[in-house]
Amino acid sequence: MRNKPRIVAALILLLSLHAAILLAKFVTPYDPAVQNRDFPFAPPTRIHFVDSRGHVHLRPFVYQWKARPDTFNEYDEARDKSYPVRFFIQGPEHKLAGLLRSHVHLFGVEDPAQIFLAGTDAYGRDQFSRILYGGQVSLAAGLLATVISLFLGLVVGCISGFYGRWIDDSAMRLVELFLVLPWLYFLLAVRSFLPLHISPTQTFFLLVTVIGTIGWARPARLVRGIVLSAKSRNYVIASRGFGASDYYMLRRHVLPHTYGILLTQAALLVPQYVVAEVTLSFLGLGLSEPAPSWGNLLANLQQYNVLVSYWWMFAPALALVIVSLGYLQMANAVQELQSGSI
Amino acid sequence: MNYLERRVIHGVLLLAGVSVLCFAFGVMAPGDFFDEMKLNPQISPATVAALRSQYGIDQPLPLRYGRWVESVLRGEWGYSFAYNCPVRSLLMVRAGNTLLLTTLATLLAWLIALPLGVWTANRRGRWDDRLGLAGTTLLLSVPELVIALVLLYLAVRTHALPAGGMVSVGFGGLGKQAQLIDLASHLVIPAATLVLASLPLLVRHIRASVLEVLQAPFVQAARAHGIGGARLLFRYVLPAAANPLSSLLGLSIGGLLSGSLLVEVITGWPGMGPLLLEASLARDVHVVIGAVMASTFFMIAGSMVADVLLVVLDPRVRLGST
């Protein structure tokens, strides 16, 4: 493969990002809901290696933010006392994976100092923690919706391609219908017909279902094409001659041909659906506060003063871009692998 | 039946399908526009019931659908509960604004993408092609939402461009030319967002399809005959590459429409996006359906324009009796 190092790099980036988001409770220094009312819109804490006397320290350290008197959300570093950054530090208790009780966090600083890698929001909540926790929601939504889409596409595509005739005709008309819809308009319309004020868990599954159901058409059409070409191959026809059932033929001889296209589609759909969730939450139709998701974190930027004054509120966008970039590289890699192997 | 007639009928059938789909989702949903009123102690349940029957919400789906179709045929496109007027009058202005934005963005995007795609295809594997590839990859992974926010940030920080809306305060008092300039300056950010968001995919597809043609035997034969440069490009390569590109044009219009919804909301462009969002939150069913129908209509119309263009451009496409 031509671009092997780049693809390996993308894979590592993607895996570590997913791991960090999955283990958010351990990786983040603070609870995403804890408010620091003394530090609204504090900028990202600066990590220092050189102290005020010019000594270089191997262990990075931070200063505490101190509100500048008579200003509005402006801060200076309190240079009189430094706090070293400690790894595997004791912090608030959390339950890792719902089982393991633990006090250990990947990094942090001792009280009373605080470390805000990506600044804080209007309530003084640590953005870095919120981004990782929000990633759990956004990524899970993207992944689950992809699974739904691919499953629906696979079922419809297989049946339509395998049985043909009127089933095929009507299924493909339906596919055309879904393909021609401008998806965001339709998504918004469907969402508008569903209840607005329900619990976060319900909202999440509702969102996932709606996003996943709308995108089944393209995978269905692609799978159908592959099933069509696969079922006319000689060994498939031969297996019919040996008395194989429809189910056996589909599972044994036809389905394996679709794996490649499913994998490519998955890599393309995941970032698309993550963006879909983010978009809906951004517009106020998805998950709402206090549950963090990348969409409602970015929604802070809808306020004019936040957009203008606090650049670190763009941090969730960076996470979003990295996820998209990683998955697109994966899609390219899978495509290249396929075209190389066939 | 000739080709165009069949396409039109197909499009109308698709629109009908979309409307049925919207209504089906609408009836599955619990609650309606008047639910909020039930919470208000000053409005008696009888009043709410009367309102619901006045607007026909209490009737079964097929009947409601029938009444909606009737009102579409009358040219009203249903009735907005929130605005208390026919949907058509609401939609016309908004759709016009959306159309202005998306048409401009489509034109610009293609005007920029075509030379870029052709250029990078011609320079395959060299440094400028690689640069283009890296650029499109990067741009491809930045969602419209982020592009719009970043552009808005830049505009606000530099004070170079207005940060939202369609016209400035006091627009009516300006002269014709000043009005045009004002409108154009408001168009820059939403249009630039849409262009940037749709550019990478366009460049890639154009590059791929031009590349395929460049390697075709007939192009080599043309080269061997001493045909080169602009003549080769415009007479031989581009017409042959037009076929996949015309379906791409249709698709890009759809993408732009979806993208414009979000961009309109962020930049405050008074198109169909903000209208749809408001109607969604208020459960103003007919407005929602009207907006979806209008956007689907634009999309179908766009792909039809693309197909007609193809017939003009590509001599291999013949409209026979098939």
Side-chain angles (χ1 to χ4, degrees):
Chain A
M1 214 160 31
R2 277 185 298 131
N3 304 314
K4 204 169 172 193
R6 210 179 66 208
I7 286 156
V8 170
L11 192 63
I12 290 172
L13 182 77
L14 215 52
L15 281 179
S16 48
L17 193 74
H18 279 75
I21 286 170
L22 195 67
L23 301 175
K25 285 178 177 165
F26 164 68
V27 177
T28 60
Y30 305 110
D31 187 288
V34 167
Q35 306 183 351
N36 301 294
R37 289 298 178 107
D38 298 336
F39 297 104
F41 292 120
T45 307
R46 281 182 220 144
I47 311 279
H48 294 272
F49 286 92
V50 184
D51 64 20
S52 49
R53 280 168 301 180
H55 293 303
V56 176
H57 298 256
L58 272 181
R59 180 180 284 281
F61 60 90
V62 302
Y63 295 115
Q64 204 177 352
W65 283 124
K66 196 176 68 187
R68 198 180 295 163
D70 303 325
T71 60
F72 193 65
N73 298 342
E74 283 182 52
Y75 299 90
D76 290 312
E77 290 184 316
R79 292 273 172 131
D80 41 356
K81 190 168 179 349
S82 67
Y83 300 88
V85 176
R86 304 217 178 274
F87 292 92
F88 301 104
I89 193 177
Q90 296 282 315
E93 187 183 272
H94 60 84
K95 261 189 184 171
L96 208 55
L99 298 168
L100 227 58
R101 268 167 200 284
S102 159
H103 287 278
V104 179
H105 290 255
L106 179 63
F107 68 94
V109 293
E110 273 154 23
D111 290 338
Q114 277 162 314
I115 182 162
F116 304 122
L117 280 189
T120 67
D121 66 4
Y123 301 101
R125 293 177 295 195
D126 178 34
Q127 271 250 99
F128 178 73
S129 304
R130 286 184 74 72
I131 289 171
L132 284 195
Y133 277 90
Q136 291 184 335
V137 172
S138 297
L139 273 183
L143 289 168
L144 263 178
T146 305
V147 170
I148 293 176
S149 258
L150 289 183
F151 178 75
L152 286 177
L154 189 65
V155 169
V156 175
C158 274
I159 291 176
S160 165
F162 198 75
Y163 292 105
R165 294 192 295 183
W166 67 269
I167 301 179
D168 189 29
D169 282 340
S170 44
M172 285 307 111
R173 287 296 90 76
L174 205 61
V175 163
E176 255 169 52
L177 196 77
F178 270 85
L179 279 182
V180 83
L181 280 170
W183 68 272
L184 195 53
Y185 275 84
F186 192 53
L187 197 58
L188 221 66
V190 173
R191 180 68 185 88
S192 78
F193 293 139
L194 299 168
L196 273 175
H197 306 292
I198 46 178
S199 80
T201 334
Q202 274 178 310
T203 317
F204 175 80
F205 284 108
L206 209 100
L207 271 188
V208 167
T209 321
V210 170
I211 296 173
T213 325
I214 285 174
W216 63 276
R218 194 173 302 277
R221 184 182 260 187
L222 291 169
V223 166
R224 171 185 171 267
I226 287 178
V227 171
L228 271 184
S229 81
K231 81 168 181 184
S232 59
R233 299 207 178 174
N234 285 335
Y235 64 86
V236 182
I237 299 170
S239 80
R240 162 134 298 168
F242 289 129
S245 69
D246 286 352
Y247 173 71
Y248 178 85
M249 277 166 60
L250 263 177
R251 183 174 60 87
R252 199 54 208 275
H253 294 311
V254 176
L255 273 188
H257 285 283
T258 64
Y259 292 162
I261 208 86
L262 287 183
L263 211 57
T264 326
Q265 278 296 304
L268 287 173
L269 284 180
V270 171
Q272 216 172 312
Y273 287 167
V274 170
V275 170
E277 187 279 331
V278 168
T279 306
L280 280 183
S281 297
F282 180 85
L283 295 176
L285 290 164
L287 257 85
S288 48
E289 288 268 332
S293 105
W294 288 346
N296 63 35
L297 289 178
L298 281 173
N300 283 320
L301 292 171
Q302 279 173 329
Q303 289 159 3
Y304 181 80
N305 64 320
V306 176
L307 179 77
V308 180
S309 319
Y310 311 115
W311 54 266
W312 55 93
M313 300 306 277
F314 274 97
L318 190 67
L320 193 59
V321 170
I322 292 174
V323 166
S324 299
L325 197 64
Y327 272 104
L328 284 178
Q329 291 296 323
M330 284 300 105
N332 280 348
V334 175
Q335 245 162 2
E336 253 175 57
L337 267 178
Q338 266 186 298
S339 56
S341 66
I342 293 171
Chain B
M1 248 194 296
N2 72 29
Y3 173 75
L4 212 63
E5 276 174 37
R6 264 187 298 123
R7 281 302 305 263
V8 170
I9 290 173
H10 187 74
V12 170
L13 283 180
L14 268 178
L15 276 174
V18 171
S19 72
V20 171
L21 215 62
C22 282
F23 256 90
F25 273 110
V27 85
M28 278 197 285
D32 57 58
F33 179 76
F34 300 104
D35 269 2
E36 297 260 305
M37 287 191 186
K38 286 182 190 159
L39 301 175
N40 188 340
Q42 289 184 327
I43 303 175
S44 74
T47 315
V48 175
L51 273 171
R52 293 190 57 192
S53 80
Q54 187 194 334
Y55 287 107
I57 297 184
D58 53 349
Q59 283 162 350
L61 176 76
L63 215 65
R64 283 174 65 183
Y65 184 68
R67 287 181 53 163
W68 181 77
V69 170
E70 197 190 330
S71 102
V72 168
L73 292 180
R74 269 204 312 272
E76 285 179 0
W77 290 91
Y79 203 79
S80 160
F81 308 137
Y83 292 89
N84 223 359
C85 65
V87 171
R88 192 186 115 106
S89 56
L90 281 175
L91 220 52
M92 286 303 260
V93 185
R94 299 301 195 105
N97 293 345
T98 294
L99 214 54
L100 172 66
L101 178 60
T102 44
T103 316
L104 185 78
T106 310
L107 275 179
L108 277 178
W110 277 84
L111 276 180
I112 300 171
L114 259 178
L116 267 181
V118 172
W119 174 261
T120 48
N122 266 310
R123 305 270 302 170
R124 187 166 86 113
R126 295 200 221 166
W127 66 270
D128 32 4
D129 178 33
R130 288 193 184 178
L131 193 72
L133 207 64
T136 54
T137 308
L138 204 65
L139 209 54
L140 202 60
S141 40
V142 183
E144 269 141 4
L145 178 71
V146 178
I147 298 180
L149 286 173
V150 169
L151 286 184
L152 209 56
Y153 175 78
L154 292 177
V156 171
R157 279 321 278 263
T158 56
H159 298 289
L161 288 165
M166 188 171 166
V167 292
S168 308
V169 183
F171 180 74
L174 298 170
K176 260 268 167 333
Q177 204 180 352
Q179 277 190 341
L180 209 62
I181 291 171
D182 188 54
L183 184 66
S185 69
H186 280 86
L187 255 172
V188 171
I189 291 181
T193 309
L194 287 177
V195 169
L196 281 178
S198 56
L199 203 58
L201 218 60
L202 288 184
V203 172
R204 283 194 165 192
H205 277 99
I206 291 169
R207 176 179 177 275
S209 73
V210 170
L211 208 56
E212 205 180 306
V213 177
L214 278 180
Q215 288 158 348
F218 77 90
V219 173
Q220 287 173 356
R223 278 220 178 94
H225 274 83
I227 303 170
R231 190 177 153 78
L232 180 75
L233 189 65
F234 287 107
R235 277 300 297 278
Y236 296 89
V237 177
L238 280 185
N243 197 339
L245 293 186
S246 84
S247 52
L248 181 65
L249 177 62
L251 274 179
S252 81
I253 291 173
L256 273 172
L257 269 173
S258 277
S260 83
L261 190 158
L262 185 62
V263 172
E264 282 169 12
V265 172
I266 296 175
T267 59
W269 184 261
M272 288 198 297
L275 182 72
L276 178 59
L277 186 64
E278 265 171 48
S280 294
L281 291 168
R283 323 205 112 223
D284 204 348
V285 185
H286 285 168
V287 177
V288 173
I289 293 173
V292 175
M293 294 287 288
S295 62
T296 316
F297 171 75
F298 289 151
M299 195 150 161
I300 293 172
S303 70
M304 249 149 83
V305 170
D307 285 352
V308 172
L309 255 175
L310 179 65
V311 175
V312 178
L313 284 178
D314 191 343
R316 288 171 303 180
V317 178
R318 297 254 184 280
L319 299 179
S321 49
T322 45

